[in-house]
Amino acid sequence: MSPVSGKSDDIFEDEKPTYTINEYLEGLEEREMEADMVLGGDYGDTCTYEKGYLKRQALFSCLTCTPEGNAGVCTACSLSCHEGHEILELWTKRNFRCDCGNSKFGNFICKLQASKDVVNVENSYNHNFKGTYCTCDRPYPDPDVEDEEEMVQCCICEDWYHREHLGLEPSETIPVDEEGQVLYEDLICPGCSATCSFLTLYPSDIFVAPKKLDVEANDDKGKGILEETSSASAGSSKIDTVSYDLAETCDNVANIKSGNMSGNEGFFSAEISKKDPSLKLCSYSNSSGTVCQLGVDLGAVTPPPNSNKVMFVKKDWRTLLCRCDKCSDFYKQKSVHYLLDKDDSIAAYEDQAKQRREERLQKEEQDSLNAFNNLGHIEKVEIMSGITDMQNEIGNFLASRNNSEAITPADVYQLFENLKNKRRRQI
């Protein structure tokens, strides 16, 4: 995924691309699925304002109405209220309420929900709302760059980054498989990794190491041979860029409660004890008597030096985070408490979108069947006859052509002309 501008290329060029019918159908299905994943199953029927600050939703920025990029609107408002405007698609943002028609829009009133608060105080905005991304603050696609790669998103700040601006070493790249599919679920950018440095206290196998590339000069021009050295299995490698020596970085943990807790009582305490046997563990337990899973007082640990390294975390890593009262309070202090919400992740958002898509398709099929069953006998016969005629016409058309031969607009026009003429003769 990458941020997408609402500006579209001119599709009415003199030379139009042609496709085989299989390519067209596959492309159509792919585009419909991608749209459903982005919109989260929201088909723009109603403004989402009444639902409050949604955990996650698709958002758009209207530069025509708010050129400073300080407002966001929902899918329905982007379609109904801002048709023909310069719209930026922002993919998704968390904890946001639709701004359309509030004080940021001057005299403009939302067509779908006229009564709204003057401002949504809990909304937050970054430079994405102005159409720029990454630490370089450039637009996407960048008019000054040819063949620009897709950008990647940080799961904390939700900004988008160029891969070359993630602070990786020259011999490293993001972990992907042979087909270019990422081997991690979430990325935490260098700017946010300092805030989340406490994650390095968890077992190292929640991380995915950057792909290592060994460069060996093979000619006098300095060209190199790149050899992959990282594991192809996500979640099985240590991530050297974020691991650090607990004995050095936890010198100030003298005040951590020791209790009589052994290294095996906490869910992760054995792992931490193995890293540093001298580190005293937290004996905190919540009201239900459950011992802190992590076993370390996060508030007493100083972030390590050079902690602003990009982190790649594996699938379902959030389920491993400790949810005891004390750790939960720490996440709130760091303003990352949403990491404990299973519905916050993009993966959960897309799973919900797939479910809503399936429900919508089933409903449409049932509605069509109900409408057909409510028709009279003559109408049913006419519809079935029309379907049969179309099947026969398309079958004859395809049988007369090579499967790899492209179908032109003129071919499609002629097919429907033949159907129309056949219906006239039947009447």
Side-chain angles (χ1 to χ4, degrees):
M1 273 302 172
S2 288
V4 180
S5 170
K7 298 177 181 178
S8 60
D9 296 331
D10 185 2
I11 62 174
F12 300 105
E13 297 176 352
D14 293 337
E15 295 184 3
K16 297 180 179 179
T18 57
Y19 306 92
T20 64
I21 192 165
N22 286 337
E23 290 173 337
Y24 175 78
L25 293 175
E26 290 174 1
L28 183 62
E29 175 70 17
E30 183 179 343
R31 288 191 295 272
E32 288 181 349
M33 178 64 76
E34 183 177 349
D36 282 343
M37 294 302 98
V38 172
L39 299 178
D42 180 4
Y43 300 100
D45 300 326
T46 58
C47 175
T48 61
Y49 179 82
E50 287 296 327
K51 298 179 181 179
Y53 294 89
L54 293 181
K55 290 183 178 180
R56 185 171 292 281
Q57 67 174 311
L59 287 180
F60 303 81
S61 176
C62 179
L63 297 185
T64 302
C65 296
T66 54
E68 295 181 0
N70 61 342
V73 302
C74 68
T75 300
C77 287
S78 73
L79 298 172
S80 298
C81 305
H82 302 274
E83 183 180 5
H85 293 189
E86 184 179 0
I87 297 290
L88 295 176
E89 180 183 332
L90 303 177
W91 199 23
T92 71
K93 298 290 182 184
R94 64 168 60 89
N95 192 39
F96 202 94
R97 196 176 196 184
C98 181
D99 284 322
C100 182
N102 66 15
S103 60
K104 297 185 176 184
F105 289 78
N107 296 325
F108 184 89
I109 299 176
C110 177
K111 298 178 181 178
L112 303 178
Q113 182 70 38
S115 177
K116 293 184 177 181
D117 290 342
V118 174
V119 64
N120 294 316
V121 295
E122 294 184 31
N123 284 357
S124 60
Y125 313 88
N126 61 10
H127 63 163
N128 296 170
F129 288 78
K130 294 188 290 187
T132 57
Y133 309 88
C134 190
T135 55
C136 61
D137 201 35
R138 295 291 298 168
Y140 184 93
D142 193 330
D144 296 332
V145 177
E146 294 184 5
D147 300 324
E148 185 176 19
E149 281 191 319
E150 286 190 350
M151 304 177 80
V152 291
Q153 189 183 39
C154 172
C155 69
I156 304 297
C157 66
E158 300 187 297
D159 197 0
W160 295 84
Y161 295 89
H162 297 104
R163 300 182 184 190
E164 61 269 27
H165 295 159
L166 289 174
L168 294 169
E169 298 297 326
S171 61
E172 297 176 334
T173 185
I174 66 172
V176 295
D177 61 20
E178 294 179 354
E179 297 180 352
Q181 298 298 314
V182 296
L183 296 172
Y184 60 91
E185 179 174 280
D186 285 324
L187 174 154
I188 301 176
C189 73
C192 293
S193 62
T195 301
C196 296
S197 62
F198 66 90
L199 291 176
T200 57
L201 294 174
Y202 285 88
S204 56
D205 60 3
I206 76 166
F207 300 105
V208 182
K211 178 179 287 186
K212 293 287 186 180
L213 302 172
D214 285 343
V215 180
E216 298 178 355
N218 67 338
D219 60 27
D220 57 3
K221 295 182 181 180
K223 294 181 180 179
I225 299 176
L226 303 182
E227 180 181 355
E228 299 178 7
T229 60
S230 66
S231 171
S233 175
S236 62
S237 305
K238 273 195 175 183
I239 181 164
D240 296 331
T241 54
V242 296
S243 62
Y244 58 91
D245 190 342
L246 287 175
E248 294 179 2
T249 58
C250 298
D251 288 340
N252 67 334
V253 195
N255 293 325
I256 293 181
K257 299 176 182 179
S258 59
N260 297 316
M261 185 177 178
S262 70
N264 295 318
E265 290 182 72
F267 187 67
F268 293 128
S269 58
E271 174 78 15
I272 294 173
S273 296
K274 188 189 306 180
K275 289 180 178 179
D276 180 15
S278 68
L279 181 63
K280 295 181 179 180
L281 301 177
C282 175
S283 60
Y284 169 81
S285 62
N286 61 21
S287 57
S288 65
T290 303
V291 175
C292 172
Q293 292 180 358
L294 185 57
V296 172
D297 187 348
L298 296 177
V301 178
T302 300
N306 302 319
S307 60
N308 58 334
K309 298 291 186 179
V310 62
M311 297 181 182
F312 303 99
V313 280
K314 73 174 187 178
K315 182 178 175 61
D316 296 330
W317 67 281
R318 298 188 190 208
T319 61
L320 301 178
L321 299 181
C322 179
R323 285 165 168 75
C324 77
D325 295 343
K326 196 164 188 178
C327 284
S328 296
D329 288 341
F330 179 79
Y331 298 141
K332 291 178 181 178
Q333 294 171 18
K334 292 289 186 178
S335 299
V336 292
H337 54 283
Y338 47 81
L339 293 179
L340 302 179
D341 184 353
K342 64 182 179 61
D343 294 328
D344 173 79
S345 69
I346 293 294
Y349 177 82
E350 292 184 341
D351 286 343
Q352 292 173 2
K354 291 177 183 177
Q355 181 178 349
R356 289 169 182 164
R357 174 183 170 83
E358 183 62 29
E359 292 172 352
R360 175 179 62 88
L361 293 176
Q362 291 179 357
K363 183 178 183 304
E364 289 177 352
E365 181 178 354
Q366 187 60 49
D367 289 345
S368 297
L369 182 60
N370 291 339
F372 180 79
N373 290 334
N374 289 332
L375 294 175
H377 176 71
I378 295 177
E379 289 85 353
K380 289 181 180 179
V381 171
E382 290 180 345
I383 288 177
M384 296 303 298
S385 176
I387 292 174
T388 300
D389 289 343
M390 178 170 286
Q391 288 177 332
N392 292 336
E393 190 66 31
I394 292 177
N396 294 335
F397 173 77
L398 295 177
S400 65
R401 306 179 70 87
N402 188 311
N403 289 336
S404 61
E405 185 178 356
I407 298 174
T408 66
D411 294 329
V412 177
Y413 176 82
Q414 186 59 51
L415 185 149
F416 281 99
E417 276 295 307
N418 293 343
L419 279 172
K420 188 187 297 183
N421 293 332
K422 184 174 183 179
R423 296 296 295 170
R424 286 173 180 168
R425 291 194 297 271
Q426 290 176 347
I427 294 175

